[in-house]
Amino acid sequence: MNRQGNLYTIVYTAVIVCVVGAALAWVSLTLKPKQNDNIRIDKMQQMLSSIRVASDETNAIELYGRYVVDEYVINIEGERLEGKAFDVNVANEVKKAPSERKLPVFVCNIDNSTKYILPVYGTGLWGPIWGYVSVDDDGCTVYGAYFSHQGETPGLGAEIATEGFAGQFKGKQLFKDGGFKSVAVLKKGQKPANGEDYVDAISGGTITSKGVQSMLSSCLSCYSAFLSELQNNKK
């Protein structure tokens, strides 16, 4: 074959593309299990942070197994559904109508009492934001919280991922006067008009802070029947 001809160039290019493509596909398949393991471990670490347990990639699995004693899926009525809570894609569920969502619940045993971890997912200024809120067995008091983001501005909206912000949620109440009221996120010095508990927003991160407030309201309200039942069981 004439190496100077167009046919040779086309065949040579096609062979190189096939070889490189096959190599990349092999690498992707080889690394996929490790990538999935890393995603699982990171998710465990985030949930552990919401119950104020520090962890890293070396001990997250062991600590998760120690503290998370049960998990299940419910609907908006608080009724159990089939499926594993850990496998629910919350990002997909929030796109559905509340009555159609699968709601994961993770049951923890810490400080000699039961806590419930509830995932939340929403939108910040530049992309998705998400987190986990843990609630005492009274179905009302926030035990802890963890938040993260995909691309919020460092030093501004990205501050939702800090302990300084998430730590404000400890002890906040999700029910007032017998009804569900989410935790508001307000500019420092402001107070909510409806009497709900509130935390200070991120200075300079107004849109991201509002995103957190909206995320909490839209996601946690779907658990109101479940949380109400916990309250009834404590009476």
Side-chain angles (χ1 to χ4, degrees), residues 41-108:
I41 290 172
D42 183 57
K43 185 173 179 178
M44 290 177 182
Q45 287 183 257
Q46 293 181 30
M47 280 193 275
L48 288 168
S49 292
S50 76
I51 54 172
R52 311 202 301 270
V53 173
S55 65
D56 57 39
E57 62 275 6
T58 65
N59 62 10
I61 295 177
E62 186 270 326
L63 291 174
Y64 183 87
R66 181 192 306 176
Y67 291 108
V68 180
V69 296
D70 194 11
E71 62 172 78
Y72 47 84
V73 181
I74 61 173
N75 60 19
I76 197 171
E77 302 298 332
E79 302 164 332
R80 292 204 186 194
L81 305 174
E82 292 185 0
K84 300 181 68 174
F86 201 91
D87 296 335
V88 174
N89 188 323
V90 180
N92 289 338
E93 294 302 314
V94 297
K95 298 175 183 177
K96 303 177 182 177
S99 60
E100 299 176 355
R101 295 181 192 178
K102 294 180 180 179
L103 307 172
V105 176
F106 300 88
V107 186
C108 306

Side-chain angles (χ1 to χ4, degrees), residues 156-176:
L156 298 175
E159 293 296 297
I160 65 169
T162 65
E163 173 58 27
F165 178 74
Q168 297 182 89
F169 288 83
K170 179 183 175 181
K172 300 302 181 183
Q173 304 294 296
L174 296 177
F175 285 78
K176 291 291 184 72

Side-chain angles (χ1 to χ4, degrees), residues 34-35 68 112:
K34 180 63 175 177
Q35 292 172 339
V68 180
N112 296 317

Side-chain angles (χ1 to χ4, degrees), residues 13-25:
T13 301
V15 171
I16 292 298
V17 169
C18 290
V19 170
V20 172
L24 291 174

Side-chain angles (χ1 to χ4, degrees), residues 1 12 50 62 64 72 90 99 131 143 164 195 199 203 224 226 235:
M1 183 181 295
Y12 179 82
S50 76
E62 186 270 326
Y64 183 87
Y72 47 84
V90 180
S99 60
Y143 180 75
V199 300
S203 178
S224 60
F226 169 75
K235 294 178 179 179

Side-chain angles (χ1 to χ4, degrees), residues 137-208:
D137 60 358
D138 64 1
C140 180
T141 307
V142 175
Y143 180 75
Y146 170 88
F147 302 108
S148 191
H149 62 92
Q150 180 172 294
E152 299 306 291
T153 308
L156 298 175
E159 293 296 297
I160 65 169
T162 65
E163 173 58 27
F165 178 74
Q168 297 182 89
F169 288 83
K170 179 183 175 181
K172 300 302 181 183
Q173 304 294 296
L174 296 177
F175 285 78
K176 291 291 184 72
D177 301 321
F180 173 81
K181 289 189 178 181
S182 183
V183 180
V185 184
L186 302 175
K187 186 178 295 185
K188 191 171 184 178
Q190 293 184 344
K191 293 185 178 181
N194 297 322
E196 63 264 46
D197 277 357
Y198 64 97
V199 300
D200 291 337
I202 299 296
S203 178
T206 302
I207 295 178
T208 307

